[in-house]
Amino acid sequence: MSGAVQVGAEQQAAQDVRRLTRTVADFPVDGVQFADLSPVFADGPALAHVVAALATAGPCDLVAGIDARGFLLGSGVALNLGVGVLPVRKAGKLPPPVHSESYALEYGEATLQVPAEGIELRGRRVLVVDDVLATGGTVAAAVALLRRCGAEVVGAAVVLEIPGLGGREVLDGLPLTCLVPA
Ligand SMILES: O=P(O)(O)OC[C@H]1O[C@H](OP(=O)(O)OP(=O)(O)O)[C@H](O)[C@@H]1O
Ligand SMILES: Nc1ncnc2[nH]cnc12
């Protein structure tokens, strides 16, 4: 026995995220404290710890990564769980036919879309992955969209929660894995 303290994937990931996340005031609009996780993504061990910790939210049949930062994490989580990844895209990026869901987020409005043909979502157990939970509008819209397509959403997994915006309340009891809660 070395006597070294063993640190689990979730604890190690949370330490890495706290150490590497850069907070920028008044971006992209006044009053927003923007959490920039780019240094986390760019650090190999931190990215591996974060992906492994998010993957504890499985099992599932499919991971849904939200455009765009959720893509960076979603495919890693999917590989970790041995399943595929569904890119949940912002409007205008996918060819028709699509299913769409519009929503408000901390600093604007947007629409998410998934293909209406070519990928069977009915009855599939889907895990939604994103980097940041702020108002919760984005994750809630992805969940609503996937459910409308017949998927069973098993949970959401995010890296960081922004304090004071009530993001987890709008998820209405959906199992949430959050590596750095508010
Ligand atoms: O909880 P909410 O208030 O909905 O905010 C969280 C969302 O905001 C950011 O995405 P953004 O739409 O800025 O897109 P990006 O990933 O393309 O930067 C972030 O990546 C989340 O998806
Ligand atoms: N404060 C914030 N930091 C990073 N991404 C966000 N998405 C919504 N609000 C955010």
Side-chain angles (χ1 to χ4, degrees), residues 7-8 11 23 31 37 45 51 57 68 74 77 87 93 101 104 111-112 118 121 127 136 145 148 165 168 179:
V7 180
Q11 262 181 296
T23 303
L37 272 69
V51 164
V77 173
K93 302 291 185 181
E101 185 81 24
T111 298
L112 293 178
L121 291 174
L127 174 67
L145 181 57
R148 197 143 45 77
L165 296 175
R168 64 178 63 220
L179 307 186

Side-chain angles (χ1 to χ4, degrees), residues 23-27 29 31-35 106 162:
T23 303
V24 180
D26 299 322
F27 179 84
V29 296
V32 171
Q33 292 288 324
F34 188 84
E106 193 184 3
I162 305 289

Side-chain angles (χ1 to χ4, degrees), residues 19-144:
R19 179 171 53 87
L20 292 167
T21 299
R22 199 169 68 102
T23 303
V24 180
D26 299 322
F27 179 84
V29 296
D30 282 356
V32 171
Q33 292 288 324
F34 188 84
D36 181 15
L37 272 69
S38 302
V40 180
F41 301 142
D43 184 296
L47 181 63
H49 296 144
V50 163
V51 164
L54 293 174
T56 64
C60 62
D61 303 323
L62 181 68
V63 169
I66 302 182
D67 195 345
R69 293 175 248 158
F71 294 169
L72 298 169
L73 299 164
S75 65
V77 173
L79 284 167
N80 201 297
L81 290 171
V83 300
V85 64
L86 173 73
V88 179
R89 302 224 57 181
K90 297 270 173 64
K93 302 291 185 181
L94 287 171
V98 292
H99 294 294
S100 305
E101 185 81 24
S102 295
Y103 62 101
L105 70 164
E106 193 184 3
Y107 39 68
E109 291 176 4
T111 298
L112 293 178
Q113 296 182 328
V114 292
E117 285 179 0
I119 302 170
E120 184 53 77
L121 291 174
R122 192 157 300 281
R124 298 191 69 191
R125 295 172 307 152
V126 179
L127 174 67
V128 173
V129 171
D130 206 354
D131 65 335
V132 170
L133 185 75
T135 64
T138 304
V139 168
V143 170

